Amino acid sequence: METELIRAISNRLVIEFDYQGHHRIGEPHLLGDDAGQLAIELYQTAGTSRRGGLPQWRVTRLDEIENLVVTANQFTPRSDFNSNRSRWRSIKAKV
């Protein structure tokens, strides 16, 4: 899964997956270490979430992602994306 996400981020490809019972569709901007857990930061554009409102930035742990699909649909990185947040211990890939 990590390799697929790095490919999606590098090529700016939209992803789809299931997370905690919700189907999410979004634009992955970063893969990194978040408090000892590998996670992605993505801009969720469609699907559902227990936290409501879309579109919205989300951080999602890889160990809770199921049924990942990397689509052929490309996206343009969001101008409000900030990879310099203190939450990331290390970054494996970013747009």
Side-chain angles (χ1 to χ4, degrees):
M1 180 181 310
E2 185 178 334
T3 302
E4 291 174 276
L5 287 167
I6 290 170
R7 180 176 67 84
I9 292 167
S10 298
N11 294 299
R12 300 175 179 173
L13 299 173
V14 172
I15 61 172
E16 295 189 34
F17 58 93
D18 297 320
Y19 182 73
Q20 298 181 345
H22 293 273
H23 187 72
R24 292 186 174 184
I25 301 168
E27 304 165 350
H29 281 60
L30 184 145
L31 171 67
D33 180 336
D34 177 26
Q37 297 289 329
L38 209 51
I40 57 170
E41 184 166 1
L42 78 151
Y43 192 72
Q44 185 180 351
T45 56
T48 61
S49 173
R50 64 185 166 96
R51 292 193 177 146
L54 294 177
Q56 186 67 257
W57 284 103
R58 308 269 189 224
V59 174
T60 305
R61 289 178 33 179
L62 263 60
D63 64 350
E64 296 185 24
I65 289 177
E66 298 177 334
N67 307 314
L68 175 68
V69 174
V70 178
T71 74
N73 301 327
Q74 288 193 297
F75 67 89
T76 300
R78 301 284 167 169
S79 61
D80 61 340
F81 171 62
N82 178 5
S83 65
N84 296 322
R85 292 190 218 178
S86 61
R87 80 176 306 137
W88 302 108
R89 289 184 182 175
S90 64
I91 295 173
K92 292 188 170 250
K94 68 178 178 178
V95 294

